[in-house]
Amino acid sequence: MCGITGYLGFREAYPIVINGLQRLEYRGYDSAGIVITSNDKSKLFKTKGKVSDLKKIAKKNNLEGNLALGHTRWATHGVPNNENSHPHLSNSGNLVIVHNGIIENYDTIKKELIKRGYTFHSDTDTEVLINLIEEVQIKNNCKLGKAVQLALTNVVGAYAIAVYDINKSDEIIVARLGSPLAIGIGKNNTEFFVASDASPFIEYTKDAIYLDDEELAIVKLGKKIRVRKIHDDSIVEPNIQELKLNLEQIEKGGYDHFMLKEIYEQPSAIFDTFRGRLLADKGIIKMGSVDNNITKFLNAKRIIIVACGTSWHAGLVGEYLLEDLSRIPVEVEYASEFRYRNPIINKDDIVIAISQSGETADTLAAIKLAKSKGAFVFGICNVVGSSIARETNSGAYTHAGPEIGVASTKAFTTQITVLALIALKLGKLKGEISTSDFHKYLQEMKLIPSKVEELLKVNHEVEKIALTYKDAPNCLYLGRGYNFPVALEGALKLKEISYIHAEGYPAAEMKHGPIALIDESMPVIVIATKKGHYEKVVSNIQEIKSRNGKIIAIVTEGDTIVKKIADHVIEIPETEEAFAPLLTTIPLQLLSYYIAVMRGCNVDQPRNLAKSVTVE
Ligand code: F6R
């Protein structure tokens, strides 16, 4: 979490870094700060709050300078206040740092530095790190790059850092371990950009280097970037990549919020995810990464899916898909639990890691553990070149485009799309799906984007329902089979952006406890599609109704039975049961969105959250 960015070159650095921070705010928005250097003189502004608050503080000052670093924080060590905000200065005031990550042994280092006379103004691990760098530099009388490298060999934890000496305004030192870091390179090395992702600099350059773990880079004006491994000092030839991202993709494009834009992007996101893979008319699913490892997939005794949050919910849908269509046993694990419980992984197991950002620390650690036990790890990621995409043995991108709203929407449906393609492909090859059924599925999958498009027209109906229930203190979401994970996801969406307490349950579990909560003030959202254990769910609806609960039902077009019982119904187009989550989730996303807007919540940046969870 936390976003870092910086500029070194011939342009004014302030506007570039401030804009960059705004683009990185999805990574944390507890506090923000910037340091700008001109002719070896620096100005530092930092504040609790958002980048917009920082702009207000900075604006009355002279902000000239061609070198700057900025930071937007998701608090880990120390409460969000001005002192704990980054950038942090060393005791001499010469060195400045921005940091994303956690230095786990900071307390031991801090005590040692205090013994040597260092003083600290914040509670952060980052201030400890910059003073350690200063101490190492003084002790070894070395250049800054060397001092950073030596200091990092003494720290335990995760970091993406950018450091410079304000008396040497032509150089920034950057390094990473566990937290992402991209470097944008201007023409002939006349300017450089550093950032947690490439979004702060896409309008300036398409040439970028993504540092790997354990790498340190010396970014110096007029010089080629030099990259080294931190521990063994070996030189690394930097891999300059061409960025595919464009500015339009990371702007709101006329929508009030990124979340709404991303909900509406789902028809094209799903289409882009199966484009070139789903060849419905030829009756083929083509996925290079699966084809290249097909023996492993077909011989897999078990698939273990690891993920967090919404991606974990997509994994649950994956369990239904893979077991139902390809008859491979599946276990779905929270990455955070998996990594710490000495899991049994056999050599015929495949681990599938799902992550939108590709940077989630727990998922990354689960992958490393699975690999260390000899498993073949397949990634389903959205962010190209992300740590998880690089760490896995093979994988498939979701092609959803940048997801900026903190609440995940199009990532969920596109992850399910990839999982459905894999399940269908394996099912067909294993002889579990007949050729005619396979063709039926492929033709139906092709129609999903237009069905989602159609379904999005329910927005006004959903808005009215939102108005009725926006003040509810609690909410229950129920679904069965393929729609059970959708119920979990619907509840997560509501709680994270509207702060209404919500829970998702398999509909039949209601009678084992949650039914006690039901009274006339309890909205219950029930997914009751025709092909998903319909009669059973109808019985569950009756049980709620007889206790005066309020029913909002998601039903298949043309439903007549639930319509008579429910207080509100939202119709979805008919589809194969296996694809139902791609549709049933849409009205739930809209419902959370409208309720959150009506409650005056910050939809794109809900409190206490961050988009990319790079800490445990
Ligand atoms: C919920 C949400 C989070 C993420 C989770 C995993 O809307 O966004 O629950 O799904 O933090 O993130 P990724 O998919 O980036 O690994």
Side-chain angles (χ1 to χ4, degrees):
M1 345 262 272
C2 299
I4 65 173
T5 187
Y7 176 78
L8 168 65
F10 55 87
R11 302 176 209 249
E12 284 305 325
Y14 175 79
I16 297 172
V17 171
I18 278 286
N19 279 343
L21 285 181
Q22 267 168 329
R23 289 184 195 158
L24 292 174
E25 251 189 335
Y26 72 89
R27 303 181 64 85
Y29 30 83
D30 288 333
S31 68
I34 188 166
V35 59
I36 311 140
T37 300
S38 170
N39 297 326
D40 303 341
K41 292 218 163 34
S42 290
K43 288 203 174 78
L44 176 69
F45 306 98
K46 48 191 198 175
T47 180
K48 175 178 184 234
K50 302 201 169 197
V51 178
S52 52
D53 301 307
L54 176 66
K55 275 167 100 173
K56 282 183 211 145
I57 293 172
K59 83 172 178 210
K60 294 182 200 99
N61 295 275
N62 172 6
L63 300 166
E64 278 172 16
N66 306 122
L67 169 64
L69 292 178
H71 188 271
T72 176
R73 177 168 188 247
W74 186 82
T76 55
H77 288 77
V79 293
N81 61 20
N82 296 356
E83 292 71 38
N84 289 336
S85 309
H86 300 215
H88 287 285
L89 291 170
S90 63
N91 273 198
S92 70
N94 289 338
L95 305 185
V96 62
I97 185 170
V98 287
H99 168 215
N100 167 30
I102 293 182
I103 306 301
E104 288 169 12
N105 59 338
Y106 83 105
D107 201 36
T108 322
I109 301 172
K110 188 173 183 174
K111 284 184 184 134
E112 195 53 43
L113 289 171
I114 289 171
K115 275 195 216 151
R116 289 166 196 246
Y118 282 83
T119 53
F120 292 90
H121 310 281
S122 76
D123 306 319
T124 65
D125 50 346
T126 306
E127 196 188 7
V128 174
L129 179 56
I130 193 63
N131 282 304
L132 175 66
I133 294 169
E134 180 154 288
E135 171 68 8
V136 169
Q137 191 175 21
I138 294 167
K139 223 167 118 188
N140 294 280
N141 191 19
C142 58
K143 289 186 174 170
L144 181 60
K146 195 61 179 172
V148 173
Q149 186 184 359
L150 291 173
L152 290 176
T153 56
N154 287 302
V155 307
V156 177
Y159 50 80
I161 54 167
V163 178
Y164 69 75
D165 181 336
I166 59 171
N167 303 306
K168 206 167 173 298
S169 48
D170 65 346
E171 182 184 80
I172 302 179
I173 312 296
V174 294
R176 82 158 262 180
L177 177 66
S179 301
L181 205 130
I183 307 168
I185 307 163
K187 241 192 188 148
N188 302 325
N189 302 315
T190 51
E191 60 177 345
F192 296 100
F193 309 80
V194 298
S196 300
D197 69 34
S199 64
F201 55 82
I202 43 170
E203 64 266 56
Y204 300 103
T205 179
K206 292 278 181 235
D207 292 334
I209 296 172
Y210 289 92
L211 281 194
D212 271 326
D213 274 350
E214 283 271 330
E215 285 179 359
L216 174 141
I218 297 176
V219 179
K220 200 174 170 78
L221 270 188
K223 296 263 163 68
K224 275 190 179 168
I225 290 175
R226 283 179 294 146
V227 182
R228 288 179 179 279
K229 282 284 177 199
I230 292 165
H231 276 89
D232 67 12
D233 201 37
S234 56
I235 292 174
V236 177
E237 192 51 48
N239 171 19
I240 302 176
Q241 303 185 19
E242 196 194 326
L243 297 172
K244 297 277 182 286
L245 203 66
N246 62 53
L247 200 53
E248 203 181 61
Q249 285 177 301
I250 58 160
E251 288 179 336
K252 279 192 206 145
Y255 288 89
D256 289 342
H257 298 96
F258 280 111
M259 181 181 177
L260 191 62
K261 176 182 177 233
E262 288 155 11
I263 290 173
Y264 275 83
E265 278 172 350
Q266 286 176 108
S268 58
I270 294 171
F271 177 77
D272 287 344
T273 300
F274 68 57
R275 193 202 342 231
R277 292 170 170 162
L278 175 80
L279 308 178
D281 298 337
K282 291 189 181 153
I284 300 174
I285 292 176
K286 214 168 98 184
M287 293 182 85
S289 52
V290 178
D291 292 325
N292 294 341
N293 298 289
I294 201 65
T295 322
K296 283 195 178 79
F297 274 101
L298 294 179
N299 293 333
K301 296 267 180 317
R302 186 173 62 145
I303 292 178
I304 304 169
I305 298 180
V306 291
C308 303
T310 291
S311 297
W312 183 77
H313 294 155
L316 289 178
V317 177
E319 179 177 23
Y320 282 87
L321 286 163
L322 286 157
E323 292 201 340
D324 188 15
L325 302 174
S326 50
R327 307 303 297 152
I328 303 174
V330 177
E331 282 169 31
V332 187
E333 301 259 7
Y334 284 116
S336 55
E337 288 298 310
F338 179 83
R339 63 182 288 195
Y340 283 119
R341 66 167 179 74
N342 195 13
I344 298 166
I345 304 169
N346 302 311
K347 71 171 178 17
D348 292 331
D349 291 340
I350 288 183
V351 172
I352 298 184
I354 308 177
S355 174
Q356 186 286 130
S357 61
E359 300 294 346
T360 301
D362 285 322
T363 311
L364 199 51
I367 293 167
K368 288 182 180 161
L369 175 72
K371 277 173 73 182
S372 74
K373 290 182 180 263
F376 169 75
V377 186
F378 187 89
I380 298 178
C381 284
N382 191 36
V383 177
V384 176
S386 56
S387 302
I388 292 178
R390 287 183 289 161
E391 189 63 41
T392 41
N393 297 107
S394 183
Y397 284 117
T398 46
H399 301 306
E403 191 182 64
I404 293 165
V406 164
S408 198
T409 52
K410 60 178 179 172
F412 181 65
T413 44
T414 53
Q415 287 163 349
I416 294 173
T417 305
V418 170
L419 288 159
L421 292 174
I422 298 174
L424 286 167
K425 185 175 176 74
L426 298 182
K428 177 68 176 49
L429 290 171
K430 282 167 70 89
E432 299 290 352
I433 308 174
S434 68
T435 302
S436 65
D437 281 351
F438 186 66
H439 282 275
K440 207 169 69 188
Y441 277 119
L442 299 201
Q443 290 301 334
E444 181 58 24
M445 172 71 92
K446 221 172 101 178
L447 298 176
I448 293 291
S450 57
K451 290 190 176 180
V452 174
E453 188 92 60
E454 195 52 36
L455 181 52
L456 284 163
K457 295 184 185 148
V458 296
N459 59 337
H460 295 302
E461 267 173 71
V462 178
E463 220 174 333
K464 281 188 211 144
I465 299 172
L467 195 60
T468 312
Y469 296 104
K470 70 179 174 35
D471 297 317
N474 297 292
C475 209
L476 211 53
Y477 285 74
L478 304 176
R480 292 183 88 131
Y482 279 98
N483 284 317
F484 157 53
V486 176
L488 295 181
E489 173 60 9
L492 176 65
K493 278 302 78 98
L494 187 70
K495 69 185 129 190
E496 69 181 325
I497 61 168
S498 74
Y499 320 138
I500 293 175
H501 171 239
E503 289 191 60
Y505 271 96
E509 272 296 302
M510 187 189 58
K511 56 187 173 295
H512 298 289
I515 198 163
L517 293 170
I518 290 175
D519 61 16
E520 61 289 342
S521 64
M522 176 67 117
V524 186
I525 291 104
V526 190
I527 308 160
T529 47
K530 264 279 154 52
K531 291 181 186 161
H533 312 281
Y534 181 71
E535 286 77 20
K536 307 267 180 218
V537 180
V538 172
S539 306
N540 298 137
I541 293 177
Q542 297 282 15
E543 289 156 14
I544 301 163
K545 214 50 225 170
S546 51
R547 283 150 185 97
N548 298 323
K550 297 280 179 286
I551 308 276
I552 302 155
I554 313 295
V555 299
T556 309
E557 246 162 21
D559 182 291
T560 51
I561 300 171
V562 176
K563 261 188 193 156
K564 288 191 198 126
I565 330 168
D567 297 272
H568 312 269
V569 292
I570 300 166
E571 290 192 339
I572 65 149
E574 187 153 2
T575 187
E576 289 298 330
E577 190 189 351
F579 300 155
L582 293 169
L583 302 182
T584 50
T585 198
I586 306 289
L588 304 192
Q589 294 170 345
L590 286 170
L591 185 66
S592 309
Y593 172 78
Y594 287 121
I595 289 181
V597 171
M598 286 169 193
R599 287 166 70 91
C601 299
N602 186 338
V603 173
D604 283 334
Q605 294 174 347
R607 69 182 179 207
N608 304 339
L609 289 174
K611 183 83 185 149
S612 183
V613 187
T614 55
V615 294
E616 277 194 40

